[in-house]
């Protein structure tokens, strides 16, 4: 489905709102897309208000994102991604959760993988946040296909277009 050579997230640094059950944020960009918790590939936050996960693509130049693919947990809890927002930008205001919206996920129950076309949005940070209270965020892999942004002009900041979601069961 994807090549890790195309995955700009693999070179980034991941963080999340907190870590529970040893589900470190870096697991989502380790190249291991195992959907079973026992495979040690999934992230996990505690139940909280507005849990979030973020990858910093590190390079001070910005990246133009074409697709964001999320591998969901399949052994249980797939509904946890329902309502998630994918945000892309270069601001760390509100932990990056105020960056422009690429897409809002509907129901994720039973979904193994979802791919979102972010239509060339530009940013150094890609965030996944689930608005609400008492929610866990669990991701088993995040793949970001994109390229370095070569020019910064008036049009570079006007790339916040809504994407399109493709689901895989």
């Amino acid at each position: 489905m994807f090549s890790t050579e195309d995955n700009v997230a693999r070179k980034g640094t991941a963080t999340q709102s907190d870590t529970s059950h040893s589900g470190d944020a870096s697991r989502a960009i380790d190249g291991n897309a195992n959907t079973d918790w026992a495979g040690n590939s999934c992230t996990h936050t505690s139940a909280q208000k507005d849990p979030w996960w973020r990858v910093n693509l590190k390079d001070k130049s910005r990246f133009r994102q074409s697709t964001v693919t999320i591998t969901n947990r399949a052994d249980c809890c797939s509904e946890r991604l329902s309502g998630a927002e994918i945000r892309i930008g270069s601001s760390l205001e509100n932990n990056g959760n105020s960056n422009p919206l690429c897409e809002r996920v509907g129901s994720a129950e039973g979904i193994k993988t979802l791919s979102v076309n972010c239509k060339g949005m530009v940013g150094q940070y890609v965030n996944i946040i689930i608005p609400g209270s008492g929610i866990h965020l669990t991701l088993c892999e995040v793949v970001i296909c994109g390229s370095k942004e070569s020019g910064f002009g008036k049009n570079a900041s006007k790339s916040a277009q809504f994407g399109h979601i493709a689901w895989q069961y």
Side-chain angles (χ1 to χ4, degrees):
M1 184 151 118
F2 60 84
S3 165
T4 55
E5 296 169 2
D6 300 328
N7 183 4
V8 297
R10 292 284 312 270
K11 296 177 185 172
T13 303
T15 189
Q16 59 192 16
S17 49
D18 78 351
T19 300
S20 180
H21 304 291
S22 301
D24 188 70
S26 64
R27 288 181 171 189
I29 56 171
D30 64 1
N32 178 0
N34 189 326
T35 61
D36 188 322
W37 178 256
N40 294 319
S41 176
C42 303
T43 69
H44 198 299
T45 68
S46 62
Q48 61 189 271
K49 181 175 177 9
D50 305 331
W52 57 267
W53 176 92
R54 178 181 68 236
V55 64
N56 177 350
L57 300 175
K58 284 188 176 180
D59 196 315
K60 292 197 179 187
S61 60
R62 298 177 183 177
F63 285 86
R64 182 173 295 279
Q65 317 312 330
S66 57
T67 59
V68 176
T69 301
I70 301 170
T71 301
N72 200 0
R73 187 169 169 184
D75 61 332
C76 86
C77 322
S78 61
E79 74 285 352
R80 288 183 178 169
L81 277 180
S82 297
E85 296 177 354
I86 300 167
R87 295 185 169 271
I88 297 174
S90 295
S91 170
L92 285 176
E93 179 183 341
N94 188 26
N95 291 306
N97 297 317
S98 296
N99 280 320
L101 179 68
C102 165
E103 188 67 73
R104 186 172 290 116
V105 176
S107 174
E109 190 166 354
I111 303 297
K112 180 180 176 186
T113 304
L114 63 100
S115 291
V116 177
N117 180 348
C118 292
K119 299 185 178 184
M121 291 179 71
V122 175
Q124 180 177 350
Y125 305 105
V126 176
N127 283 52
I128 299 170
I129 178 174
I130 305 177
S133 295
I135 300 170
H136 295 273
L137 174 60
T138 304
L139 307 166
C140 292
E141 194 67 18
V142 177
V143 174
I144 302 167
C145 294
S147 59
K148 282 190 178 182
E149 173 66 9
S150 58
F152 297 106
K154 295 178 184 175
N155 295 329
S157 63
K158 296 182 180 179
S159 58
Q161 302 171 15
F162 287 107
H164 174 72
I165 296 179
W167 303 98
Q168 181 182 359
Y169 294 88

